[in-house]
């Protein structure tokens, strides 16, 4: 067809991205404000999709990491690439830059050998690396805002203030030694402030499923992390006191360390108190505090609803009993008065006297009743009367006769 393989590969990637873009434009436009943020945020999007299907990231799960080079270009690492997606990546990168950010870029695939020799590929894993250059902004570095310093000594916040502002943060160096702990984590671990701590001794990485090494964490900087605290004496402490913290890992090049910023994974007040923490230990800017308070409000509303349902059931039972008593009263009135008169009496209406010009009245008596009673037992007399009146009632109902 007159096209080189590289051109076909690029066209395939562009078409592949266009199909995805047409179906998910709103989501893809919201991933990141820049091309670098797009690929770093895309990793978090993959993690969300995996979580939605009940899966977790493993050592072999695809992952993206996009870095800005000193000359202003971007270096995109695609770890554990899918075969089809890896084939289409160059075209997809160009299409994403053009469709979302209106940028014309050049994409060059860098071999792994070159990348490893530069020391920018931590860990031993399969990886595709792409160098992204903007046509208009190539070799132009981004200037820092006026008054911004690159010296760590010019930081206008002390360590103690930072630990109070972010109580659930920690920092560790390439040897996984903990350099800094927020007050919330320190209170949860109940550790000695002067004791040297290792990350593996204090925390487990719950998600993604990777080993707790500096190099492995660097590969997943764009992935949400969930870590779990360890208790020094697991035999005497309850497992309920173990707490999970969800957040992100941030590489700090000034000290070649990693900063973890997170929030506790608790949504109930009892869970928080059970871990020795209080609402005041969660900063006001953290949405976890609102989640807990909303949960308590929902719990109170649920308790009120249960009490209302119980009261409603009691009222329904009372109403049913009242209706049964009402029916008994109506039946009693009907047995004494004609049904029409009984209904008027029950409804509180005045019963008007009615005149009948032609009536037939039957007076009956049991002949020899006294003698019969003298020769029978009381139960025999009652049975005889019951059978007699039952026959009378049947004939009265059949002949529409009113019995007094």
């Amino acid at each position: 067809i007159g096209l080189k393989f590289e051109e076909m590969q690029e066209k395939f990637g562009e078409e592949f991205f266009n199909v995805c873009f047409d179906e998910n434009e709103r989501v893809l436009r919201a991933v990141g404000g820049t091309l670098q943020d797009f690929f770093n945020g895309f990793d978090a999007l993959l993690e969300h999709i995996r979580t939605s299907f009940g899966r977790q990231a493993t050592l072999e799960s695809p992952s993206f990491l996009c870095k800005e080079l000193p000359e202003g270009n971007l270096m995109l690492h695609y770890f554990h690439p899918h075969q089809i997606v890896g084939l289409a990546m160059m075209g997809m990168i160009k299409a994403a830059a053009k469709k979302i950010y209106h940028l014309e870029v050049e994409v060059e695939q860098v071999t792994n050998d070159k990348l490893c020799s530069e020391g920018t590929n931590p860990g031993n894993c399969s990886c595709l690396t792409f160098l992204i250059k903007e046509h208009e902004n190539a070799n132009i570095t981004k200037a820092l805002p006026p008054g911004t310093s690159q010296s760590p000594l010019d930081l206008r916040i002390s360590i103690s203030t930072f630990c109070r502002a972010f109580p659930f943060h920690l920092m560790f160096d390439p040897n996984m030694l903990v350099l800094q702990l927020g007050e919330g984590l320190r209170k949860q671990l109940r550790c000695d402030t002067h004791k040297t701590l290792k990350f593996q001794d204090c925390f487990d990485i719950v998600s993604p499923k990777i080993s707790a090494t500096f190099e492995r964490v660097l590969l997943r900087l764009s992935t949400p992390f969930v870590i779990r605290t360890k208790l020094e004496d697991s035999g005497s402490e309850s497992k309920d006191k173990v707490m999970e913290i969800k957040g992100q890992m941030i590489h700090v090049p000034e000290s070649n360390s990693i900063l973890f910023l997170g929030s506790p994974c608790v949504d109930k007040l009892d869970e928080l108190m059970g871990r020795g923490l209080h609402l005041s230990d969660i900063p006001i800017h953290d949405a976890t505090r609102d989640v807990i308070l909303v949960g308590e409000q929902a719990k109170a509303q649920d308790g009120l609803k249960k009490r209302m349902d119980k009261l409603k059931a009691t009222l329904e039972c009372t109403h049913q009993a009242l209706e049964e008593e009402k029916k008994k009263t109506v039946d009693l009135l009907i047995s004494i008065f004609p049904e029409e008169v009984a209904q008027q009496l029950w409804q509180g209406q005045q019963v008007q006297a009615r005149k009948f010009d032609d009536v037939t009245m039957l007076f009956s008596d049991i002949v020899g009743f006294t003698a019969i009673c003298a020769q029978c037992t009381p139960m025999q007399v009652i049975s005889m009367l019951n059978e007699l009146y039952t026959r009378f009632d049947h004939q009265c109902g059949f002949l529409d006769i009113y019995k007094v």
Side-chain angles (χ1 to χ4, degrees):
I1 58 178
L3 290 176
K4 296 181 180 180
F5 175 76
E6 291 78 9
E7 294 177 347
M8 292 181 59
Q9 182 179 358
E10 184 175 316
K11 291 295 183 182
F12 170 69
E14 291 178 358
E15 288 300 321
F16 188 83
F17 181 84
N18 289 336
V19 171
C20 298
F21 185 81
D22 291 340
E23 295 183 359
N24 305 281
E25 178 179 356
R26 188 170 62 91
V27 175
L28 292 175
R29 287 190 182 277
V31 172
T34 64
L35 189 60
Q36 180 183 4
D37 294 338
F38 174 81
F39 287 108
N40 286 331
F42 198 73
D43 206 38
L45 186 62
L46 290 177
E47 175 68 14
H48 173 72
I49 295 174
R50 280 192 290 263
T51 304
S52 301
F53 285 93
R55 302 173 183 173
Q56 285 187 326
T58 63
L59 288 173
E60 290 75 28
S61 298
S63 176
F64 292 91
L65 182 61
C66 191
K67 298 180 180 180
E68 184 176 7
L69 301 179
E71 61 271 18
N73 298 328
L74 298 178
M75 184 74 75
L76 174 63
H77 306 310
Y78 181 22
F79 302 105
H80 307 291
H82 187 278
Q83 186 176 4
I84 302 299
V85 178
L87 184 67
M89 272 304 296
M90 294 184 65
M92 290 175 64
I93 294 172
K94 287 188 175 182
K98 185 175 182 179
K99 278 272 189 180
I100 301 177
Y101 304 102
H102 308 290
L103 296 175
E104 295 290 339
V105 298
E106 294 181 1
V107 183
E108 175 187 355
Q109 185 170 353
V110 182
T111 61
N112 283 344
D113 293 338
K114 178 182 177 181
L115 189 60
C116 292
S117 65
E118 293 176 354
T120 58
N121 183 20
N124 297 319
C125 65
S126 58
C127 174
L128 296 178
T129 304
F130 302 92
L131 181 63
I132 306 173
K133 299 179 181 179
E134 293 185 26
H135 285 178
E136 298 179 356
N137 299 326
N139 301 322
I140 299 178
T141 58
K142 295 182 180 180
L144 293 172
T148 302
S149 172
Q150 290 183 298
S151 173
L153 299 177
D154 293 337
L155 185 64
R156 299 178 183 179
I157 182 173
S158 65
I159 294 178
S160 60
T161 303
F162 191 88
C163 289
R164 289 198 307 272
F166 302 97
F168 297 96
H169 87 278
L170 66 96
M171 292 186 70
F172 54 90
D173 63 9
N175 296 321
M176 302 303 287
L177 294 177
V178 178
L179 306 176
Q180 189 170 304
L181 272 178
E183 292 185 357
L185 285 181
R186 193 180 300 277
K187 187 175 181 181
Q188 170 70 13
L189 293 173
R190 298 182 178 88
C191 56
D192 186 0
T193 56
H194 302 290
K195 182 180 178 181
T196 301
L197 302 174
K198 293 200 70 173
F199 181 91
Q200 299 91 327
D201 297 334
C202 302
F203 305 96
D204 289 321
I205 298 179
V206 179
S207 176
K209 293 292 185 181
I210 62 173
S211 55
T213 63
F214 195 82
E215 291 77 14
R216 291 297 182 184
V217 174
L218 281 179
L219 296 180
R220 297 286 185 175
L221 289 181
S222 300
T223 304
F225 272 75
V226 177
I227 64 175
R228 181 191 296 125
T229 59
K230 288 183 178 179
L231 297 175
E232 293 184 0
D233 187 3
S234 58
S236 61
E237 295 284 354
S238 171
K239 292 183 179 180
D240 294 337
K241 294 185 179 297
V242 174
M243 184 171 66
E244 293 185 354
I245 304 99
K246 183 177 182 179
Q248 70 174 118
M249 298 286 185
I250 303 172
H251 183 236
V252 183
E254 295 85 356
S255 58
N256 191 26
S257 58
I258 291 179
L259 167 66
F260 173 77
L261 288 176
S263 300
C265 298
V266 293
D267 55 5
K268 296 181 178 64
L269 194 59
D270 294 339
E271 294 179 0
L272 186 71
M273 298 291 291
R275 290 163 174 76
L277 299 174
H278 301 82
L279 282 175
S280 59
D281 294 318
I282 301 177
I284 297 176
H285 63 77
D286 195 332
T288 304
R289 177 183 288 208
D290 297 330
V291 171
I292 293 175
L293 293 177
V294 169
E296 288 301 309
Q297 183 180 3
K299 183 179 178 181
Q301 291 177 347
D302 184 59
L304 178 61
K305 182 178 180 297
K306 289 181 178 179
R307 291 194 296 271
M308 294 295 292
D309 290 341
K310 185 177 180 180
L311 180 60
K312 178 182 177 183
T314 304
L315 290 175
E316 288 178 350
C317 292
T318 305
H319 178 71
Q320 184 177 358
L322 183 62
E323 288 294 324
E324 291 177 356
E325 291 298 323
K326 175 182 176 181
K327 186 177 182 301
K328 291 179 181 179
T329 305
V330 173
D331 292 341
L332 179 61
L333 288 173
I334 292 176
S335 67
I336 300 174
F337 301 100
E339 183 175 354
E340 182 180 353
V341 175
Q343 289 291 345
Q344 291 178 341
L345 290 174
W346 173 253
Q347 296 173 4
Q349 299 177 2
Q350 186 176 1
V351 180
Q352 298 292 336
R354 298 172 62 184
K355 179 182 178 181
F356 296 92
D357 296 331
D358 187 12
V359 296
T360 300
M361 300 183 66
L362 171 66
F363 294 91
S364 64
D365 183 30
I366 300 175
V367 179
F369 181 74
T370 303
I372 295 174
C373 290
Q375 296 177 3
C376 299
T377 63
M379 288 303 300
Q380 289 175 333
V381 175
I382 292 174
S383 298
M384 180 194 67
L385 294 176
N386 183 59
E387 183 179 356
L388 179 62
Y389 293 147
T390 301
R391 293 185 180 184
F392 268 114
D393 291 341
H394 175 72
Q395 293 298 326
C396 289
F398 181 73
L399 300 173
D400 193 21
I401 297 174
Y402 176 66
K403 183 190 71 172
V404 178

